[in-house]
Amino acid sequence: MFTIEHEFDATIITLIDEPENAPLQGDVTITAFDDRVVLRQDEPETDRYSEITLSARQVDELRAALNLPEGGYRLDRR
């Protein structure tokens, strides 16, 4: 399950884990701003969270990488 919310300066997507036979993972919240994307995963057992911030360029590279075979690549910025 996931939710999508649009706020003034960001879009927030929350991925809610619903495992059938696997251990439950913490919810993942993705907050997309104009210049960065922040991924945050809750750790329910410790009441803490982990956070990663990606630049807009890193998000573009990740998007491209999901559709490419193994190898090293550099995106041409025009």
Side-chain angles (χ1 to χ4, degrees):
M1 177 180 171
F2 62 92
T3 64
I4 301 171
E5 301 170 58
H6 298 290
E7 294 190 356
F8 173 73
D9 63 343
T11 296
I12 302 170
I13 301 167
T14 303
L15 308 175
I16 302 164
D17 196 25
E18 298 181 291
E20 292 182 22
N21 297 321
L24 177 69
Q25 300 297 313
D27 293 350
V28 175
T29 302
I30 303 162
T31 307
F33 297 93
D34 287 340
D35 61 342
R36 69 194 180 285
V37 172
V38 178
L39 292 90
R40 173 180 164 160
Q41 184 170 28
D42 295 329
E43 299 173 12
E45 295 174 359
T46 62
D47 216 18
R48 301 178 83 172
Y49 62 88
S50 299
E51 190 170 279
I52 297 173
T53 301
L54 301 173
S55 68
R57 182 179 184 116
Q58 288 174 309
V59 172
D60 289 343
E61 290 174 348
L62 174 60
R63 183 180 303 117
L66 293 173
N67 297 309
L68 293 169
E70 282 186 49
Y73 300 89
R74 178 172 285 124
L75 293 181
D76 185 20
R77 295 291 230 186
R78 294 180 186 196

